[in-house]
Amino acid sequence: MPHTPSEPPATPLRETRSICPYCGVGCGVIIESQGPQITGVRGDPDHPANFGRLCSKGASLHHTASHTVTLQTRLLQPLQRATRDAAPQAIGWDKALDLATERFARTIAAHGPDAVGFYISGQLLTEDYYVFNKLAKGLLGTNNIDTNSRLCMSSAVAGYKQTLGADAPPACYDDLRHAQCLFIIGSNTAWAHPVLFRRIEDARRSNPQLKIIVADPRRTDTAEIADLHLALQPGTDVRLLGGMLHLMQREGWLDNAYIAAHTTGLDALQPHIAECTPERVALECGVNPHDLLTATRWFAGLQGGAARPRTPTLSLYCQGLNQSTSGTAKNAALVHLHLATGQIGKPGAGPLSLTGQSNAMGGREVGGMAHLLSAHRDLANPPAPRRGGRAVGRERRARTPRQDRRGNVPGCGRRRDQGPVDRLHQSGAKHARPGHGAPRPAARRVRGGAGRLCHHRHLRLCRPAAARQHLGREDRHRDEQRTPHLARAQRRARPRRGAARLADRGAVRAPA
């Protein structure tokens, strides 16, 4: 019998857990691979963001790593052009790193540290952001580092900071199970965040009494499931939200006890509220006055009448509010509704911004922007570089933006002429001026800073400084923190916050 050589053993199938990089839902995936080749991707049933579900993009993720696509579009090794017009030639990793290091060092020696900068992705891991921040601010001594948050989420960031005092969404995906009213504005969630939309459908099935309001000029797939569709005219979002606040005050639907205990600035908001009469709002926004009244009552949590306890309302919003010349004003106006009715800080209630990148928030957590240090500390606040101590290390070298007596930053023009209120976040021009040991009260800061930039009189209702310490911070996804096993692990380990926690996990620390 002729001898047949035995076939080589098949490479075993390996599975690796990871996260889909395509949008802010952050779905967990299980990557299947054989040797160096990725062969398939499926949803991770144990991940608390998607519970095994994937949209069409996530389910096709492995095709982007196929051999054909990799050869066409993926950079597999460093390439260098000898001259600007020459074809790129492959070089080794050691040579590439030495070349990059030498170019950085030579440029800094000739022109100073501000001659270099870093623009990094919203898809990096939080630890990667931290190392980049330490490299720029700690080692090189420049603030020139930014992430996609500068363009993508700047309006949401500024809106949260002006009203709540911190860049921290006070709600999570798990709140969908507890909400009795969903207010979706500036987002076609069915298309942009389809896995999250499935969770909305699940919430509707488990709670038939759930009311869904969609404010969108278009009749989108998201609007198809709405109990009430407010087809407002484009660009009238602030007026619509102001009209709802007007109705809440006129009908006695405000939570006056919550306002008195936890907010400041409502008196300064009165001129804007007075302008937003239901008749004027209905005319300018193109909505039915009865629908406006119904949406306001549902949002206030008074579906069963004023005699019953308020039911929780969760608002979801995305780039329809953010990507606008008045984006910060729209964000702040929406948060005002939550503060005015006490729809925040309890299960199923709060304003939840939906982002477009998988870990944009992680970059801001560890200071991966030109005006930040780790743990959401502003460079424009002089005491900030001194907080954090040993873990922050040489980040204290980063320079505070120069400002004159009126708070103007060179190169940005006068404060009142620096463009829309969104530019406050984008330019790094902050309210607190060097030499002020403590920040001003929240209401005064909004009036004296953001309000003066654009004369937006409706940006004045906010949480006082004393309440900010109770405001939690989003860490990837809040619903992950609420899972029992993670909660137990956190109680056992008692990890430190911010930069110190990341340093303990092995992040690079610059020498003292």
Side-chain angles (χ1 to χ4, degrees):
M1 179 180 293
H3 174 72
T4 57
S6 59
E7 295 185 3
T11 304
L13 181 68
R14 185 177 61 174
E15 293 185 346
T16 305
R17 279 180 161 81
S18 186
I19 296 178
C20 177
Y22 279 133
C23 81
V25 175
C27 294
V29 296
I30 297 177
I31 302 173
E32 302 170 353
S33 59
Q34 284 186 309
Q37 184 61 45
I38 294 175
T39 58
V41 170
R42 69 179 190 274
D44 185 349
D46 297 325
H47 198 279
N50 60 317
F51 301 107
R53 287 172 167 167
L54 290 178
C55 70
S56 58
K57 293 188 295 182
S60 304
L61 187 59
H62 61 288
H63 293 304
T64 66
S66 66
H67 184 68
T68 303
V69 174
T70 297
L71 290 179
Q72 293 175 348
T73 63
R74 295 293 176 89
L75 188 65
L76 303 180
Q77 62 188 101
L79 302 177
Q80 180 190 11
R81 298 180 189 271
T83 61
R84 183 68 61 109
D85 299 327
Q89 301 294 325
I91 59 175
W93 278 102
D94 289 341
K95 183 178 180 181
L97 291 174
D98 289 342
L99 177 62
T101 303
E102 187 272 333
R103 291 282 177 88
F104 266 99
R106 188 171 60 187
T107 302
I108 293 171
H111 306 286
D114 285 337
V116 300
F118 301 87
Y119 187 78
I120 52 183
S121 169
Q123 299 178 353
L124 297 178
L125 298 177
T126 304
E127 293 81 357
D128 299 331
Y129 284 120
Y130 181 79
V131 173
F132 268 113
N133 194 51
K134 292 289 286 189
L135 172 62
K137 299 190 176 99
L139 181 63
L140 302 183
T142 180
N143 298 335
N144 295 342
I145 178 171
D146 259 335
T147 69
N148 74 301
S149 293
R150 182 66 65 189
L151 299 175
C152 176
M153 298 300 296
S154 59
S155 298
V157 171
Y160 276 139
K161 293 181 73 172
Q162 289 176 5
T163 54
L164 303 181
D167 170 23
C172 69
Y173 298 156
D174 193 57
D175 284 313
L176 290 169
R177 297 191 296 111
H178 305 283
Q180 291 296 320
C181 175
L182 290 182
F183 184 75
I184 304 174
I185 182 170
S187 172
N188 184 8
T189 316
W191 280 27
H193 299 88
V195 173
L196 180 62
F197 189 72
R198 300 284 88 81
R199 295 183 68 158
I200 294 175
E201 292 177 326
D202 291 344
R204 164 64 68 79
R205 279 190 290 268
S206 62
N207 179 18
Q209 302 303 315
L210 174 66
K211 300 296 185 182
I212 299 179
I213 307 168
V214 174
D216 196 308
R218 303 175 300 160
R219 184 81 184 182
T220 63
D221 285 7
T222 305
E224 291 295 331
I225 70 164
D227 298 284
L228 181 60
H229 176 210
L230 299 176
L232 73 166
Q233 292 295 317
T236 61
D237 307 74
V238 172
R239 185 65 77 184
L240 174 73
L241 300 172
M244 294 174 67
L245 190 56
H246 181 106
L247 281 171
M248 289 175 182
Q249 182 167 277
R250 190 185 74 179
E251 300 295 331
W253 295 341
L254 298 180
D255 190 337
N256 294 310
Y258 184 91
I259 292 172
H262 301 292
T263 70
T264 62
L266 183 60
D267 291 340
L269 194 62
Q270 291 304 318
H272 174 71
I273 297 177
E275 292 177 359
C276 298
T277 62
E279 297 77 18
R280 181 174 182 178
V281 170
L283 180 63
E284 294 185 11
C285 298
V287 298
N288 185 292
H290 177 73
D291 291 343
L292 180 64
L293 182 66
T294 301
T296 304
R297 186 174 68 253
W298 289 355
F299 192 104
L302 302 175
Q303 302 176 28
R308 296 187 178 183
R310 293 180 188 268
T311 56
T313 295
L314 179 70
S315 61
L316 305 173
Y317 58 99
C318 195
Q319 307 298 35
L321 258 60
N322 297 331
Q323 297 293 330
S324 167
T325 56
S326 58
T328 303
K330 295 175 182 179
N331 277 262
L334 179 59
V335 178
H336 287 168
L337 296 183
H338 284 273
L339 293 176
T341 55
Q343 293 286 7
I344 191 170
K346 58 186 179 182
L352 179 58
S353 60
L354 304 178
T355 184
Q357 296 288 327
S358 55
N359 196 25
M361 185 71 185
R364 303 196 297 275
E365 287 276 352
V366 294
M369 298 189 73
H371 67 285
L372 293 178
L373 291 178
S374 298
H376 295 285
R377 292 167 299 150
D378 280 314
L379 277 168
N381 184 5
R386 295 196 291 271
R387 290 197 296 266
R390 196 159 43 89
V392 179
R394 293 173 63 186
E395 280 183 348
R396 67 187 64 193
R397 283 189 174 186
R399 288 168 297 286
T400 300
R402 298 191 306 273
Q403 297 174 326
D404 63 19
R405 292 176 57 190
R406 296 183 179 180
N408 299 325
V409 176
C412 296
R414 291 183 301 170
R415 234 181 172 354
R416 63 182 181 181
D417 298 331
Q418 287 177 21
V421 73
D422 309 87
R423 202 69 59 82
L424 174 71
H425 181 69
Q426 295 175 355
S427 68
K430 294 297 162 184
H431 325 293
R433 299 191 298 272
H436 285 218
R440 289 180 281 175
R444 182 183 171 195
R445 182 173 65 256
V446 176
R447 289 197 297 270
R452 191 163 65 237
L453 277 174
C454 266
H455 308 288
H456 282 309
R457 288 172 289 173
H458 47 285
L459 292 180
R460 296 181 182 176
L461 183 61
C462 56
R463 289 186 57 144
R468 293 177 198 166
Q469 57 184 328
H470 305 298
L471 195 68
R473 294 186 293 115
E474 181 187 64
D475 187 10
R476 304 291 174 84
H477 295 292
R478 286 281 184 83
D479 51 354
E480 293 184 21
Q481 296 181 358
R482 292 183 179 180
T483 54
H485 68 282
L486 284 177
R488 287 194 297 270
Q490 289 173 348
R491 286 196 297 270
R492 288 195 302 266
R494 290 189 178 275
R496 289 186 287 167
R497 297 177 63 189
R501 180 176 60 190
L502 290 170
D504 290 343
R505 291 164 62 183
V508 173
R509 179 181 298 173

